[in-house]
Amino acid sequence: MILLLVFGCQKQESKQLKDQGLMQTKAVKGDKSKKIIYLMIDSLMSQSIDEGIKQKVLPTFQFLIEHGQYYKDMVSSFPTMSVTIDSSLITGDYPSAHQVPGLIWYSAAEKKVINYGTGPMEVLKHGVDPVLVDTLINLNGKHLNPKLPTIFEDLARRGLKTGIINGLIYRGTADHTLSIPPWVQDPTSLPKEVQVKGPDFLALGSLSNPLKGIKKLPEGITRRMGLNNQYSVEMLQYLIRENRLPDFLYVYLPDIDQRLHKKGPSDLKVVKEVDSQLRSVLQAFGSPEEALNKAVFILSGDSGMTQILPANENPVVDLPSLLKDYRVLGPGEPIKDETEIILAVNETMAYVYKHKTDKSLRNITDLLAADPRVDFISWKEKDWIYAVQGQTAKELRFKTNGDLTDPYKQKWAVEGNLGVLDLNTDPSKGSLGYGQYPDALQRLSGALNSHQGEFLVVTAKPGYELADRSSPKHKGGGGHGSIRQQESLIPLIICGTDQKPQYLRIIDLKPFILKLLK
């Protein structure tokens, strides 16, 4: 994320603890009521957990699984990018409702590409100033649908206390201040302080550190300004030991994602480090057993990851090259009357926007579908959503409120080749099921209805990733963004309660948590 790219260690004046929320954090329900601690472990995958337990190198994960519920197939949001997934978790809905379409997307209303921090080169092309403003001010304050309540807002209305450590989607009802260092203010339009709304307790690396002057935390420039696992874990340990846990606390652990992008999804080293960190959290209660007596622990990944092929196997689908007959907007360039195509690439998924061209979305689809590395292309026309398979040009279309009911009690009408999205139907029973693309119809609809504009959703086949001119590339490493199982199914571990969500989807966790706190 952009926060990892541009911020360094800054010296902050100690704030009054009351202003930072620390003294207002303790759970309303009291010591006898179980608190809920949600640990979002970026890019944690069930394959890694299972292999680590098999090798006997993940004792804490094994303990939690043996003393709780373990699911390997919870469905993430789409696109499978952290900012969109976290928005779905925190609001309990897909992008069609929360309106955060991806890590990068085009806003027709603002007539600009919104980038929350895709990669160093692309950020520099787009401009550090607009990226920082969108990430620190507009993401929570404007882009996240203000009419859709977050879990922090819902719990505040019940009079309960909430907190977040290092999560980027944090909108709540309490006032907080993000402190911006002078060397970042000077070249940007950011003020010295940014006023935001969040939960009662808000810790966001060195930008908002409620323990400043109380405890030294790893928040220097070599530690990604506090946006690291150790910072999150030590902050959590402090709240546990000082009996300051709120009723609900969301904790983000980012380190696995960083390594797997470089090393690929089979790497276990950082997962073993997380296991040790989890053990230290449980021990902060006195023992792992006592931890489960005092708190409900919910652990999950946010997305899976696909192994990207090595460079010599041509894994990068260069979209500007495929669209060479169009005037494609370059990263950071101003949008002009002659601009025909705008790209917003989210690793293995991309939005392709038709700006000013006589060609139809289907014309553009035909160009992209000719590349054998493209999985499918999708767009909407009136009530219908179309999907065309790459290379074969096989086609399917669907819309809501039909005669077929999927496993989530959602109703659909489907026509065409079911294999495009690996669907299976039984007309006699009126049922529809999913294969390689979990909850595909609702998730695809969610992305295509997440913002205004005339655009395509494009996904890459496993092993490949999409790219604009300055997009980050992960040849031989790992990538995510698309809607296939490898990137969509995530692990879920629940300990300290026998209750479970109605469905195994990330959008179903918010109502599950609200029910636990009744």
Side-chain angles (χ1 to χ4, degrees):
M1 301 299 288
I2 182 61
L3 299 182
L4 304 179
L5 302 173
V6 298
F7 279 112
C9 180
Q10 69 262 32
K11 300 294 183 182
Q12 290 176 259
E13 297 293 329
S14 293
K15 304 275 186 183
Q16 289 186 2
L17 295 182
K18 185 175 180 180
D19 291 341
Q20 291 296 316
L22 183 59
M23 301 307 291
Q24 302 297 317
T25 298
K26 190 174 179 181
V28 170
K29 288 203 166 192
D31 295 337
K32 292 183 180 180
S33 178
K34 278 191 172 185
K35 319 302 182 291
I36 296 179
I37 300 173
Y38 192 111
L39 292 151
M40 172 63 83
I41 307 172
D42 198 332
S43 295
L44 177 68
M45 293 177 283
S46 59
Q47 305 96 296
S48 301
I49 296 173
D50 295 344
E51 182 61 27
I53 290 176
K54 181 180 177 181
Q55 295 182 20
K56 300 184 178 179
V57 294
L58 299 180
T60 312
F61 277 108
Q62 183 169 349
F63 171 84
L64 292 170
I65 289 169
E66 290 175 350
H67 291 80
Q69 308 169 53
Y70 176 37
Y71 305 99
K72 304 181 184 184
D73 55 354
M74 183 167 72
V75 181
S76 187
S77 190
F78 174 69
T80 45
M81 304 297 286
S82 292
V83 68
T84 299
I85 299 163
D86 289 355
S87 297
S88 288
L89 170 67
I90 297 302
T91 64
D93 221 322
Y94 284 138
S96 51
H98 66 62
Q99 298 173 4
V100 179
L103 189 58
I104 182 171
W105 56 285
Y106 172 68
S107 169
E110 299 182 53
K111 295 183 178 179
K112 71 169 189 175
V113 174
I114 306 294
N115 187 329
Y116 301 121
T118 49
M121 288 303 297
E122 199 158 49
V123 165
L124 291 173
K125 291 279 188 180
H126 281 280
V128 171
D129 183 55
V131 175
L132 277 173
V133 170
D134 282 329
T135 304
L136 296 179
I137 298 176
N138 294 333
L139 174 55
N140 285 278
K142 182 179 178 181
H143 298 155
L144 184 68
N145 186 357
K147 296 180 181 179
L148 187 66
T150 68
I151 191 169
F152 306 116
E153 291 166 331
D154 279 340
L155 290 174
R157 291 187 188 99
R158 294 187 187 177
L160 298 180
K161 297 295 184 180
T162 61
I164 190 167
I165 301 174
N166 276 346
L168 264 188
I169 307 299
Y170 53 72
R171 196 186 70 210
T173 60
D175 293 321
H176 294 277
T177 300
L178 304 182
S179 298
I180 311 299
W183 58 270
V184 173
Q185 297 170 43
D186 293 341
T188 70
S189 62
L190 287 170
K192 181 180 179 180
E193 294 182 334
V194 175
Q195 305 303 317
V196 299
K197 291 281 190 179
D200 302 280
F201 183 83
L202 172 62
L204 186 59
S206 55
L207 296 179
S208 177
N209 180 357
L211 300 188
K212 182 69 71 174
I214 299 175
K215 179 177 175 59
K216 185 175 176 60
L217 292 169
E219 56 176 340
I221 193 167
T222 60
R223 301 304 307 275
R224 305 199 302 273
M225 309 76 62
L227 297 176
N228 59 72
N229 283 11
Q230 187 180 346
Y231 176 105
S232 297
V233 167
E234 290 188 18
M235 185 77 72
L236 172 55
Q237 289 173 320
Y238 183 89
L239 294 178
I240 294 169
R241 289 171 178 148
E242 296 298 316
N243 196 25
R244 290 286 173 190
L245 281 175
D247 297 290
F248 172 71
L249 180 65
Y250 175 95
V251 184
Y252 177 62
L253 303 177
D255 291 2
I256 290 180
D257 184 72
Q258 306 287 324
R259 184 172 177 87
L260 296 194
H261 271 306
K262 297 177 182 177
K263 300 291 185 179
S266 62
D267 188 88
L268 270 181
K269 180 180 178 182
V270 72
V271 184
K272 289 189 280 187
E273 293 171 1
V274 170
D275 188 87
S276 177
Q277 291 162 345
L278 292 176
R279 171 68 62 168
S280 71
V281 168
L282 299 181
Q283 290 292 357
F285 284 93
S287 70
E289 291 75 16
E290 186 64 14
L292 301 192
N293 287 332
K294 291 186 174 179
V296 173
F297 284 85
I298 304 173
L299 292 77
S300 80
D302 63 348
S303 74
M305 196 172 282
T306 295
Q307 178 72 51
I308 303 298
L309 294 168
N312 62 357
E313 296 190 46
N314 198 22
V316 177
V317 182
D318 185 74
L319 293 178
S321 295
L322 297 184
L323 299 167
K324 62 182 183 298
D325 294 335
Y326 293 87
R327 296 184 185 93
V328 179
L329 183 73
E333 292 179 359
I335 295 169
K336 301 176 182 178
D337 288 341
E338 57 265 30
T339 300
E340 295 180 310
I341 299 288
I342 300 168
L343 299 175
V345 178
N346 290 269
E347 296 188 26
T348 60
M349 173 272 190
Y351 291 112
V352 177
Y353 301 86
K354 174 187 170 184
H355 187 241
K356 288 190 177 179
T357 175
D358 294 333
K359 301 293 186 181
S360 67
L361 288 178
R362 188 175 286 276
N363 292 144
I364 302 170
T365 294
D366 291 341
L367 272 178
L368 297 173
D371 193 300
R373 299 168 296 176
V374 169
D375 197 7
F376 70 80
I377 303 104
S378 184
W379 70 96
K380 61 179 180 178
E381 284 184 23
K382 298 181 180 178
D383 294 335
W384 290 92
I385 290 175
Y386 291 77
V388 172
Q389 194 171 60
Q391 196 172 14
T392 71
K394 292 176 181 177
E395 186 173 319
L396 168 147
R397 70 174 189 167
F398 65 91
K399 64 179 180 178
T400 57
N401 300 319
D403 296 329
L404 298 173
T405 303
D406 71 12
Y408 309 105
K409 306 304 180 187
Q410 301 164 149
K411 291 187 173 295
W412 305 98
V414 181
E415 298 178 358
N417 193 307
L418 299 179
V420 175
L421 293 178
D422 197 22
L423 304 176
N424 57 81
T425 62
D426 186 337
S428 65
K429 296 181 179 178
S431 65
L432 180 148
Y434 300 107
Q436 287 295 314
Y437 306 93
D439 198 15
L441 304 188
Q442 192 65 267
R443 294 167 73 213
L444 195 51
S445 176
L448 285 165
N449 289 288
S450 61
H451 56 305
Q452 296 298 312
E454 196 174 357
F455 58 88
L456 303 171
V457 162
V458 184
T459 65
K461 288 180 179 176
Y464 302 96
E465 63 180 344
L466 307 173
D468 197 354
R469 295 177 181 91
S470 301
S471 301
K473 301 172 183 68
H474 309 92
K475 300 172 185 177
H480 52 81
S482 87
I483 198 168
R484 276 184 176 263
Q485 280 187 351
Q486 296 98 315
E487 298 165 44
S488 297
L489 296 185
I490 53 179
L492 173 68
I493 300 173
I494 303 171
C495 298
T497 179
D498 293 330
Q499 296 188 54
K500 62 181 181 179
Q502 180 180 11
Y503 300 113
L504 286 176
R505 299 180 300 179
I506 203 155
I507 61 170
D508 295 299
L509 291 182
K510 179 189 172 187
F512 169 64
I513 293 167
L514 293 176
K515 183 179 178 182
L516 287 177
L517 286 169
K518 275 189 175 179

